[in-house]
Amino acid sequence: MNLVESLKIAWQSLVGNRLRSALTMLGVIIGVAAVIALVSIGQGASQQITSQIQKLGSNVITVLPRGNTVARLGLDDVEELTARVSTLSRAIPSLSRQTTVKWQNKTYSTTVEGTADGYSELRSFPVAVGRFITPSDVDGRRKVAVLGKKVHTELFGDLNPLMQQINISGETYTVVGIMSAKGQGMGGDYDDRVLIPISSALRLFGTNRVSSILVQTSDAKVAPATVARIQAIYQKKFPTRNPGRDDAVMVFSQDQLLSTVGDATRTFTIMLGGIAGISLLVGGIGIMNIMMVSVTERTREIGIRKALGAKRRDILSQFLVESVFLSLSGGAIGIILGVGGARAMEAFGLPSTVSVTSIVMAFSFSAAVGLFFGVYPAMKAANLDPIEALRYD
């Protein structure tokens, strides 16, 4: 008996028991749909976080003090790093606070970040209109501000804000520029902030300490050496008294963040896929159970076919084809539901990325499940004695 005949007989058998066939496929459908949907969520989250890290800028190293230590950073640290670390191309201080910004009768709560010239290039965050903060703005503690796209829209709408006066925490600043749209990143929403000179920010917020220092290297290859050099400087400056205690100052590069996040999201995706894969195993057990019932119900039919000359391999292939047909049909429906579910999650703001790999993996696994769990029932049917089978009632 050839494959076409096996498929025809399998189809007639499954159609003749529609409800049972549908219930048998249900486990595979749920398993495949769950694998695709959950793996898509994991991959979507990974891509979103990676995109946010990349928005930090290229070859960027972040230096910031730990909150539970005595370490403090100031503008003198920027000068020290510039002088002592030869592999960096620029060092930019940053001081951020959540505060209220006003223009005329409009009030908006946003992030005000004090920074310096070079920040725009370091963050790959160009100015759309006007200009950015200059060295003379920092040296002269000028009260100038550059608006993020969202702040511009919230306060001014479609109006041109250049040279307009805004109020930040009770002090008047002149708008000199508008940043281009950048979106969300590891540092928050770049469009929802106001940038002012770091010197003005220190005076505005009544402090001499910065939140962090952003260091950029000219080449990604020297980033590990630069991180090690900066760590050595601060380990000497703020020695750790207790063995095993974290350093007082954290120093990490963009590549380190990407590596750490990549490892975590890969583990998360594998875990989600494994959980969903359990459903496929349960579905496979269901297929085996139904196929065993089918063998029992069709014992007399098997005896008649053997008596008419059907060989052992014919019976074996017939039941294997039925089992694989069930799993593949369930897999195909599961793919449609899984892809649809992943797309639906995007509509609710949950990032998901459907990959061909996850579809092929889920479909192949469903076929393997049907083949694996169909072998035993098929072998049992093929090994039936024709005389005993004909006597079965």
Side-chain angles (χ1 to χ4, degrees), residues 71-150:
R72 298 292 183 268
L73 299 178
L75 294 182
D76 55 334
D77 288 274
V78 178
E79 297 174 359
E80 181 180 12
L81 291 177
T82 303
R84 297 182 62 181
V85 184
S86 60
T87 52
L88 61 83
S89 58
R90 58 168 60 92
I92 308 293
S94 176
L95 173 62
S96 299
R97 292 284 191 277
Q98 190 76 18
T99 188
T100 300
V101 179
K102 296 180 181 179
W103 180 70
Q104 295 182 354
N105 62 342
K106 294 183 179 180
T107 302
Y108 184 64
S109 178
T110 187
T111 298
V112 173
E113 181 176 4
T115 187
D117 59 293
Y119 175 92
S120 176
E121 292 79 7
L122 181 144
R123 289 292 198 205
S124 300
F125 191 16
V127 176
V129 180
R131 67 172 178 86
F132 196 69
I133 296 164
T134 64
S136 59
D137 290 332
V138 176
D139 294 339
R141 292 185 179 179
R142 292 176 181 167
K143 294 182 179 181
V144 295
V146 182
L147 307 182
K149 192 68 178 177
K150 186 174 182 180

Coordinates of all heavy atoms in Angstrom, one line a residue, residues 71-150:
A71 N 30.4 57.0 48.2 CA 30.9 57.6 46.9 C 30.0 58.7 46.4 O 28.8 58.6 46.5 CB 30.9 56.5 45.9
R72 N 30.6 59.8 46.0 CA 30.0 60.9 45.4 C 30.7 61.3 44.2 O 31.9 61.3 44.1 CB 29.9 62.1 46.4 CG 29.1 61.8 47.6 CD 27.6 61.6 47.4 NE 26.8 61.4 48.6 CZ 26.6 60.2 49.1 NH1 27.0 59.1 48.5 NH2 25.9 60.1 50.2
L73 N 30.0 61.8 43.1 CA 30.6 62.3 41.9 C 30.3 63.8 41.7 O 29.2 64.2 42.0 CB 30.1 61.5 40.7 CG 30.4 60.0 40.7 CD1 29.7 59.4 39.5 CD2 31.8 59.7 40.7
G74 N 31.3 64.5 41.2 CA 31.2 65.9 40.9 C 31.8 66.3 39.6 O 32.4 65.4 38.9
L75 N 31.9 67.6 39.3 CA 32.5 68.1 38.1 C 34.0 67.8 38.1 O 34.6 67.6 37.0 CB 32.2 69.5 37.9 CG 30.7 69.9 37.6 CD1 30.6 71.4 37.4 CD2 30.1 69.2 36.5
D76 N 34.6 67.8 39.3 CA 36.0 67.5 39.3 C 36.3 66.1 38.8 O 37.4 65.8 38.3 CB 36.6 67.7 40.7 CG 35.8 66.9 41.8 OD1 34.6 66.6 41.5 OD2 36.4 66.6 42.8
D77 N 35.4 65.2 39.0 CA 35.6 63.8 38.5 C 35.6 63.7 37.0 O 36.3 62.9 36.4 CB 34.4 62.9 39.0 CG 34.5 62.6 40.5 OD1 35.2 61.7 40.9 OD2 33.9 63.4 41.3
V78 N 34.8 64.6 36.4 CA 34.8 64.7 34.9 C 36.2 65.1 34.4 O 36.8 64.5 33.5 CB 33.8 65.7 34.4 CG1 33.8 65.8 32.9 CG2 32.4 65.2 34.8
E79 N 36.8 66.1 35.1 CA 38.1 66.6 34.7 C 39.2 65.5 35.0 O 40.1 65.4 34.2 CB 38.4 67.9 35.5 CG 37.5 69.0 35.2 CD 37.7 70.2 36.1 OE1 38.6 70.1 36.9 OE2 37.0 71.3 35.9
E80 N 39.0 64.8 36.1 CA 40.0 63.8 36.5 C 40.0 62.6 35.4 O 41.0 62.2 35.0 CB 39.7 63.2 37.9 CG 40.7 62.2 38.3 CD 40.4 61.6 39.7 OE1 39.3 61.9 40.2 OE2 41.2 60.9 40.2
L81 N 38.8 62.2 35.1 CA 38.7 61.1 34.1 C 39.2 61.5 32.7 O 39.9 60.7 32.1 CB 37.2 60.6 34.0 CG 36.6 59.9 35.2 CD1 35.2 59.6 34.9 CD2 37.4 58.6 35.5
T82 N 39.0 62.7 32.3 CA 39.5 63.2 31.1 C 41.0 63.3 31.0 O 41.6 63.0 30.0 CB 38.9 64.6 30.8 OG1 37.5 64.6 30.8 CG2 39.4 65.2 29.4
A83 N 41.6 63.6 32.2 CA 43.0 63.7 32.3 C 43.7 62.4 32.4 O 44.8 62.2 31.9 CB 43.4 64.6 33.5
R84 N 43.1 61.4 33.2 CA 43.8 60.2 33.5 C 43.5 59.0 32.6 O 44.2 58.0 32.6 CB 43.5 59.8 35.0 CG 43.9 60.9 36.0 CD 43.6 60.4 37.4 NE 44.3 59.2 37.7 CZ 44.2 58.6 38.9 NH1 43.4 59.1 39.8 NH2 44.8 57.4 39.1
V85 N 42.4 59.1 31.9 CA 42.0 57.9 31.0 C 42.2 58.3 29.6 O 41.4 59.1 29.0 CB 40.5 57.5 31.3 CG1 40.2 56.3 30.5 CG2 40.3 57.2 32.8
S86 N 43.2 57.8 29.0 CA 43.6 58.3 27.6 C 42.7 57.7 26.5 O 42.7 58.2 25.4 CB 45.0 57.8 27.3 OG 45.2 56.4 27.4
T87 N 42.0 56.6 26.8 CA 41.1 56.0 25.8 C 39.8 56.6 25.6 O 39.0 56.1 24.8 CB 41.0 54.5 26.1 OG1 40.5 54.3 27.5 CG2 42.3 53.7 26.0
L88 N 39.4 57.6 26.4 CA 38.1 58.1 26.2 C 38.1 59.4 25.4 O 39.1 60.1 25.3 CB 37.4 58.5 27.6 CG 38.1 59.5 28.5 CD1 37.7 60.9 28.2 CD2 37.7 59.2 30.0
S89 N 37.1 59.6 24.6 CA 37.0 60.7 23.7 C 36.2 61.9 24.3 O 36.5 63.0 24.0 CB 36.3 60.3 22.4 OG 35.0 59.8 22.6
R90 N 35.3 61.6 25.3 CA 34.6 62.7 26.0 C 34.0 62.1 27.3 O 33.7 60.9 27.4 CB 33.5 63.3 25.1 CG 32.5 62.4 24.6 CD 31.3 63.1 24.0 NE 31.7 64.0 22.9 CZ 31.6 63.6 21.6 NH1 31.2 62.4 21.3 NH2 32.0 64.5 20.7
A91 N 33.8 63.0 28.2 CA 33.2 62.6 29.5 C 32.1 63.7 29.8 O 32.5 64.9 29.8 CB 34.2 62.5 30.6
I92 N 30.9 63.4 29.9 CA 29.8 64.3 30.1 C 29.1 64.1 31.4 O 28.6 62.9 31.7 CB 28.7 64.1 29.0 CG1 29.4 64.2 27.6 CG2 27.6 65.2 29.1 CD1 30.0 65.5 27.2
P93 N 29.0 65.1 32.3 CA 28.2 64.9 33.5 C 26.7 65.0 33.3 O 26.3 65.5 32.3 CB 28.7 66.1 34.4 CG 29.0 67.2 33.3 CD 29.5 66.4 32.1
S94 N 26.0 64.4 34.2 CA 24.5 64.4 34.1 C 23.9 64.5 35.5 O 24.3 63.8 36.4 CB 24.0 63.1 33.4 OG 22.6 63.0 33.4
L95 N 22.9 65.3 35.6 CA 22.1 65.5 36.8 C 20.7 65.6 36.5 O 20.3 66.6 35.8 CB 22.6 66.7 37.6 CG 21.8 67.1 38.8 CD1 21.8 66.0 39.9 CD2 22.3 68.4 39.4
S96 N 19.9 64.7 36.9 CA 18.4 64.6 36.5 C 17.5 64.8 37.7 O 17.8 64.2 38.8 CB 18.1 63.3 35.8 OG 18.8 63.2 34.6
R97 N 16.5 65.5 37.6 CA 15.4 65.7 38.6 C 14.1 65.8 37.9 O 13.9 66.3 36.9 CB 15.7 67.0 39.5 CG 16.9 67.0 40.3 CD 16.7 66.1 41.6 NE 17.8 66.3 42.5 CZ 19.0 65.7 42.4 NH1 19.3 64.9 41.4 NH2 19.9 65.9 43.3
Q98 N 13.1 65.3 38.6 CA 11.7 65.4 38.2 C 11.2 66.7 38.7 O 11.2 66.9 40.0 CB 10.8 64.3 38.6 CG 9.4 64.2 38.0 CD 9.4 63.7 36.6 OE1 10.4 63.1 36.1 NE2 8.4 64.0 35.9
T99 N 10.7 67.6 37.9 CA 10.2 68.9 38.4 C 9.1 69.5 37.4 O 8.8 68.8 36.5 CB 11.4 69.9 38.5 OG1 10.9 71.1 39.2 CG2 12.0 70.3 37.1
T100 N 8.7 70.7 37.8 CA 7.6 71.3 37.0 C 8.1 72.4 36.1 O 8.9 73.2 36.5 CB 6.5 71.9 38.0 OG1 6.0 70.8 38.8 CG2 5.4 72.5 37.2
V101 N 7.6 72.4 34.9 CA 8.0 73.4 33.9 C 6.7 74.2 33.5 O 5.7 73.6 33.3 CB 8.7 72.8 32.7 CG1 9.0 73.8 31.6 CG2 9.9 72.0 33.0
K102 N 6.8 75.5 33.4 CA 5.7 76.3 33.1 C 6.0 77.2 31.9 O 7.1 77.7 31.8 CB 5.3 77.2 34.3 CG 4.8 76.4 35.5 CD 4.4 77.3 36.7 CE 4.0 76.6 37.9 NZ 3.6 77.5 39.0
W103 N 4.9 77.5 31.2 CA 5.0 78.5 30.1 C 3.6 79.1 30.1 O 2.6 78.5 29.8 CB 5.3 77.9 28.8 CG 5.3 79.0 27.7 CD1 6.2 80.0 27.5 CD2 4.4 79.1 26.6 NE1 5.9 80.8 26.4 CE2 4.8 80.3 25.8 CE3 3.3 78.4 26.2 CZ2 4.1 80.7 24.7 CZ3 2.6 78.9 25.1 CH2 3.0 80.0 24.4
Q104 N 3.5 80.4 30.3 CA 2.3 81.2 30.4 C 1.4 80.4 31.4 O 1.7 80.3 32.6 CB 1.7 81.3 29.1 CG 2.5 82.2 28.1 CD 1.8 82.4 26.8 OE1 0.8 81.8 26.4 NE2 2.4 83.3 26.0
N105 N 0.2 80.0 31.0 CA -0.7 79.3 31.9 C -0.7 77.8 31.8 O -1.5 77.1 32.4 CB -2.2 79.8 31.7 CG -2.6 79.4 30.3 OD1 -1.8 79.1 29.4 ND2 -3.9 79.4 30.1
K106 N 0.3 77.3 31.2 CA 0.5 75.8 31.0 C 1.6 75.3 31.9 O 2.7 75.9 32.0 CB 0.8 75.4 29.6 CG -0.3 75.7 28.6 CD 0.0 75.3 27.2 CE -1.1 75.5 26.2 NZ -0.8 75.1 24.8
T107 N 1.3 74.2 32.6 CA 2.2 73.6 33.5 C 2.4 72.1 33.1 O 1.4 71.4 32.8 CB 1.7 73.6 35.0 OG1 1.5 75.0 35.3 CG2 2.7 73.0 36.0
Y108 N 3.6 71.6 33.2 CA 3.9 70.3 32.8 C 5.0 69.7 33.7 O 6.0 70.3 33.9 CB 4.3 70.2 31.3 CG 4.6 68.8 30.8 CD1 3.5 67.9 30.7 CD2 5.8 68.4 30.4 CE1 3.7 66.6 30.2 CE2 6.0 67.1 29.9 CZ 5.0 66.3 29.8 OH 5.2 65.0 29.3
S109 N 4.8 68.5 34.2 CA 5.8 67.8 35.0 C 6.7 66.9 34.1 O 6.2 66.1 33.4 CB 5.1 66.9 36.1 OG 6.1 66.3 36.9
T110 N 8.0 67.1 34.2 CA 8.9 66.4 33.3 C 10.2 66.2 34.0 O 10.4 66.7 35.2 CB 9.1 67.2 32.0 OG1 9.8 66.4 31.1 CG2 9.8 68.5 32.2
T111 N 11.2 65.6 33.3 CA 12.5 65.5 33.8 C 13.4 66.6 33.3 O 13.4 66.9 32.1 CB 13.1 64.1 33.3 OG1 12.3 63.0 33.8 CG2 14.6 63.9 33.8
V112 N 14.1 67.3 34.2 CA 15.1 68.3 33.8 C 16.4 67.7 34.0 O 16.8 67.2 35.1 CB 14.9 69.6 34.7 CG1 16.0 70.5 34.4 CG2 13.5 70.2 34.4
E113 N 17.2 67.7 33.0 CA 18.6 67.1 33.0 C 19.6 68.1 32.7 O 19.6 68.8 31.7 CB 18.7 65.9 32.0 CG 20.0 65.2 32.0 CD 20.1 64.1 31.1 OE1 19.1 63.8 30.4 OE2 21.2 63.4 31.1
G114 N 20.5 68.2 33.7 CA 21.7 69.1 33.5 C 22.8 68.3 32.8 O 23.1 67.2 33.2
T115 N 23.4 68.9 31.7 CA 24.4 68.3 31.0 C 25.3 69.3 30.4 O 25.3 70.5 30.7 CB 23.8 67.3 29.9 OG1 24.8 66.6 29.3 CG2 23.0 68.1 28.9
A116 N 26.1 68.9 29.4 CA 27.1 69.8 28.8 C 27.2 69.5 27.3 O 26.6 68.6 26.8 CB 28.5 69.6 29.5
D117 N 28.0 70.3 26.6 CA 28.2 70.2 25.2 C 28.8 68.8 24.9 O 29.6 68.3 25.7 CB 29.1 71.3 24.6 CG 30.5 71.3 25.3 OD1 30.5 71.6 26.5 OD2 31.5 70.9 24.6
G118 N 28.5 68.2 23.9 CA 28.9 66.8 23.5 C 27.9 65.8 23.9 O 28.0 64.6 23.4
Y119 N 26.9 66.1 24.7 CA 25.8 65.2 25.1 C 25.0 64.7 23.8 O 24.7 63.6 23.7 CB 24.9 65.9 26.1 CG 23.7 65.0 26.5 CD1 23.7 64.2 27.6 CD2 22.5 65.2 25.8 CE1 22.6 63.5 28.0 CE2 21.4 64.4 26.1 CZ 21.4 63.6 27.2 OH 20.3 62.9 27.6
S120 N 24.7 65.7 22.9 CA 23.9 65.4 21.8 C 24.6 64.3 20.9 O 24.0 63.4 20.4 CB 23.7 66.7 21.0 OG 23.0 66.4 19.8
E121 N 26.0 64.5 20.7 CA 26.7 63.5 19.9 C 26.9 62.2 20.6 O 26.8 61.1 20.0 CB 28.1 64.1 19.6 CG 28.1 65.3 18.7 CD 27.8 66.6 19.4 OE1 27.6 66.6 20.6 OE2 27.6 67.6 18.7
L122 N 27.1 62.2 21.9 CA 27.3 61.0 22.7 C 26.0 60.1 22.6 O 26.1 58.9 22.5 CB 27.7 61.3 24.1 CG 27.9 60.2 25.1 CD1 29.0 60.5 26.1 CD2 26.7 59.8 25.9
R123 N 24.9 60.8 22.8 CA 23.6 60.1 22.8 C 23.0 59.8 21.4 O 22.0 59.2 21.3 CB 22.6 60.8 23.6 CG 22.8 60.9 25.1 CD 22.5 59.5 25.7 NE 22.3 59.6 27.1 CZ 22.6 58.6 28.0 NH1 23.1 57.5 27.5 NH2 22.3 58.7 29.3
S124 N 23.7 60.3 20.4 CA 23.2 60.2 19.0 C 21.8 60.8 19.0 O 20.8 60.2 18.5 CB 23.1 58.8 18.5 OG 24.4 58.2 18.5
F125 N 21.7 62.0 19.5 CA 20.4 62.7 19.8 C 20.5 64.1 19.3 O 20.7 65.1 20.0 CB 20.2 62.7 21.3 CG 18.8 63.1 21.8 CD1 17.7 63.1 21.0 CD2 18.6 63.4 23.1 CE1 16.5 63.5 21.4 CE2 17.4 63.8 23.6 CZ 16.3 63.8 22.7
P126 N 20.3 64.3 18.0 CA 20.6 65.6 17.3 C 19.5 66.6 17.6 O 18.3 66.3 18.0 CB 20.6 65.3 15.8 CG 19.7 64.1 15.7 CD 20.0 63.3 17.0
V127 N 19.9 67.9 17.5 CA 18.9 69.0 17.7 C 18.1 69.2 16.4 O 18.7 69.2 15.3 CB 19.7 70.3 18.0 CG1 18.7 71.5 18.0 CG2 20.4 70.2 19.3
A128 N 16.8 69.3 16.5 CA 16.0 69.5 15.3 C 15.9 71.0 14.9 O 15.9 71.3 13.7 CB 14.6 68.9 15.5
V129 N 15.7 71.8 15.9 CA 15.6 73.3 15.7 C 16.4 74.0 16.7 O 16.5 73.7 17.9 CB 14.1 73.7 15.8 CG1 13.9 75.2 15.5 CG2 13.2 72.9 14.8
G130 N 17.1 75.1 16.2 CA 17.9 75.9 17.2 C 19.2 75.3 17.4 O 19.9 74.7 16.5
R131 N 19.7 75.4 18.6 CA 21.0 74.9 19.0 C 21.0 74.1 20.3 O 20.0 74.1 21.0 CB 22.0 76.1 19.1 CG 21.7 77.0 20.3 CD 22.8 78.0 20.5 NE 22.6 79.0 21.6 CZ 22.9 78.7 22.9 NH1 23.4 77.6 23.2 NH2 22.6 79.6 23.8
F132 N 22.2 73.5 20.6 CA 22.3 72.8 21.8 C 23.1 73.6 22.8 O 23.5 74.7 22.5 CB 23.0 71.4 21.6 CG 22.9 70.4 22.7 CD1 21.6 69.9 23.0 CD2 24.0 70.1 23.5 CE1 21.5 69.0 24.1 CE2 23.8 69.2 24.6 CZ 22.6 68.7 24.9
I133 N 23.4 73.1 24.0 CA 24.1 73.7 25.0 C 25.6 73.9 24.6 O 26.2 72.9 24.0 CB 24.0 73.0 26.3 CG1 22.6 72.9 26.8 CG2 24.9 73.5 27.4 CD1 22.3 71.9 27.9
T134 N 26.2 75.0 24.8 CA 27.6 75.3 24.4 C 28.5 75.4 25.6 O 28.0 75.5 26.8 CB 27.7 76.6 23.6 OG1 27.3 77.7 24.5 CG2 26.8 76.6 22.4
P135 N 29.8 75.3 25.4 CA 30.7 75.4 26.6 C 30.6 76.8 27.3 O 30.7 76.8 28.5 CB 32.1 75.3 25.9 CG 31.9 74.5 24.7 CD 30.5 74.9 24.2
S136 N 30.2 77.8 26.5 CA 30.1 79.1 27.2 C 28.8 79.2 28.0 O 28.7 79.9 29.0 CB 30.0 80.2 26.1 OG 28.9 80.0 25.2
D137 N 27.8 78.4 27.6 CA 26.6 78.3 28.5 C 26.9 77.6 29.8 O 26.4 78.1 30.9 CB 25.5 77.4 27.8 CG 24.9 78.0 26.6 OD1 24.9 79.3 26.5 OD2 24.5 77.3 25.6
V138 N 27.8 76.6 29.8 CA 28.1 75.9 31.0 C 29.0 76.8 31.9 O 28.8 77.0 33.1 CB 28.9 74.6 30.7 CG1 29.4 73.9 32.0 CG2 28.0 73.7 30.0
D139 N 30.0 77.4 31.2 CA 31.0 78.3 32.0 C 30.3 79.5 32.6 O 30.6 79.9 33.7 CB 32.1 78.8 31.0 CG 33.0 77.6 30.6 OD1 33.0 76.6 31.3 OD2 33.6 77.8 29.5
G140 N 29.3 80.1 31.9 CA 28.6 81.3 32.4 C 27.3 81.0 33.2 O 26.6 81.9 33.5
R141 N 27.1 79.7 33.4 CA 25.8 79.3 34.1 C 24.6 80.0 33.5 O 23.7 80.5 34.2 CB 25.9 79.7 35.6 CG 27.0 78.9 36.4 CD 26.9 79.3 37.9 NE 27.9 78.5 38.6 CZ 28.1 78.6 40.0 NH1 27.3 79.5 40.6 NH2 29.0 77.9 40.6
R142 N 24.6 80.0 32.2 CA 23.4 80.6 31.6 C 22.1 79.8 31.8 O 22.2 78.6 31.8 CB 23.7 80.8 30.1 CG 24.8 81.8 29.8 CD 25.1 81.8 28.3 NE 26.2 82.8 28.0 CZ 26.9 82.8 26.9 NH1 26.5 82.0 25.9 NH2 27.8 83.7 26.7
K143 N 21.1 80.5 31.8 CA 19.8 79.9 32.0 C 19.1 79.7 30.7 O 18.2 80.4 30.3 CB 18.9 80.7 32.9 CG 19.4 80.8 34.4 CD 18.5 81.6 35.3 CE 19.0 81.7 36.7 NZ 18.1 82.5 37.6
V144 N 19.6 78.7 29.9 CA 19.1 78.3 28.6 C 18.6 76.9 28.7 O 19.1 76.1 29.5 CB 20.1 78.5 27.5 CG1 20.5 80.0 27.4 CG2 21.4 77.6 27.8
A145 N 17.6 76.6 27.9 CA 17.0 75.2 27.9 C 16.8 74.7 26.5 O 16.5 75.5 25.6 CB 15.7 75.3 28.7
V146 N 17.0 73.4 26.3 CA 16.6 72.7 25.1 C 15.5 71.7 25.4 O 15.7 70.9 26.3 CB 17.9 72.0 24.5 CG1 17.5 71.3 23.2 CG2 19.0 72.9 24.3
L147 N 14.4 71.8 24.6 CA 13.3 71.0 25.0 C 13.2 69.7 24.2 O 13.6 69.6 23.0 CB 12.0 71.8 24.6 CG 11.8 73.2 25.2 CD1 10.5 73.7 24.8 CD2 11.9 73.1 26.7
G148 N 12.8 68.6 24.9 CA 12.5 67.4 24.2 C 11.2 67.5 23.4 O 10.4 68.4 23.6
K149 N 11.0 66.7 22.4 CA 9.9 66.8 21.5 C 8.5 66.8 22.2 O 7.6 67.6 21.9 CB 9.9 65.7 20.5 CG 9.0 65.8 19.3 CD 9.4 67.0 18.4 CE 8.5 67.1 17.2 NZ 8.9 68.3 16.4
K150 N 8.4 65.9 23.2 CA 7.1 65.8 23.9 C 6.9 67.0 24.8 O 5.7 67.5 24.9 CB 7.1 64.6 24.8 CG 5.8 64.3 25.5 CD 5.9 62.9 26.2 CE 4.5 62.6 26.9 NZ 4.5 61.3 27.6

